[in-house]
Amino acid sequence: MTNDRIVKTVLLRAVPARVWAAIADSRQFGEWFGVRFEGPFIEGQLVKGRMVPTAVDASVAEKQKPYEGMACDVMVERVEPQRLLAFRWHPGESPDTSDAAPTTLVEFEIEAAEGGTMLTITESGFDQIPLAQRAKAFADNEGGWEIQCMLVAR
């Protein structure tokens, strides 16, 4: 493991089409992740969002409440149906969310596997984040992706 990349892999007990819908449909993604997006995930487009508590786990929703209303905009980089969704965002509580501020790349890759679907979530690019924010953003997202792996496709 490096300080530039977080990788989480989980076997989900769901068919690939269900997992794909949970990550590629911005409304479904928002329900488990805890974001209300203003539109669909379309390659090359910015989708504005605001943090809201997750709808699938009360204890996680309680932990998310302090972040309610915080911007969570994503720039959709790639959509390969039934296989990959990739977007860029400002990790953590970045004070600079301008177009010039560095972002990380988040990739959701799915693959059929015995017993369900293998989902790999990779977030990379932390070495571009200003040093003063880097360690906290990495640690927060490392733990956050661990939790999100339990919520997706519920």
Side-chain angles (χ1 to χ4, degrees), residues 9-29:
T9 302
V10 61
L11 176 64
L12 300 170
R13 302 279 179 214
V15 297
R18 181 161 184 262
V19 175
W20 177 250
I23 61 173
D25 178 298
S26 63
R27 184 191 56 75
Q28 287 185 49
F29 184 102

Side-chain angles (χ1 to χ4, degrees), residues 110-151:
I110 67 168
E111 184 178 322
E114 189 172 326
T117 303
M118 193 64 69
L119 170 65
T120 301
I121 302 170
T122 305
E123 184 173 8
S124 60
F126 286 94
D127 59 357
Q128 303 301 310
I129 305 302
L131 193 54
Q133 302 160 322
R134 188 179 310 156
K136 182 173 181 354
F138 187 92
D140 287 353
N141 287 16
E142 172 84 20
W145 289 122
E146 192 73 31
I147 292 168
Q148 295 299 353
C149 282
M150 295 184 301
L151 302 180

Side-chain angles (χ1 to χ4, degrees), residues 80-132:
E80 295 178 20
Q82 305 299 316
R83 197 188 89 64
L84 174 79
L85 171 71
F87 60 72
R88 292 195 163 277
W89 69 354
H90 297 283
E93 299 174 49
S94 176
D96 181 3
T97 57
S98 69
D99 289 344
T103 58
T104 55
L105 178 67
V106 178
E107 298 171 287
F108 297 85
E109 293 181 81
I110 67 168
E111 184 178 322
E114 189 172 326
T117 303
M118 193 64 69
L119 170 65
T120 301
I121 302 170
T122 305
E123 184 173 8
S124 60
F126 286 94
D127 59 357
Q128 303 301 310
I129 305 302
L131 193 54

Side-chain angles (χ1 to χ4, degrees), residues 3 15 35 37 40-41 60 65 69 79 81 99 101 120 140 146:
N3 288 334
V15 297
V35 177
F37 288 107
F41 293 148
V60 173
K65 281 191 178 181
V79 178
D99 289 344
T120 301
D140 287 353
E146 192 73 31

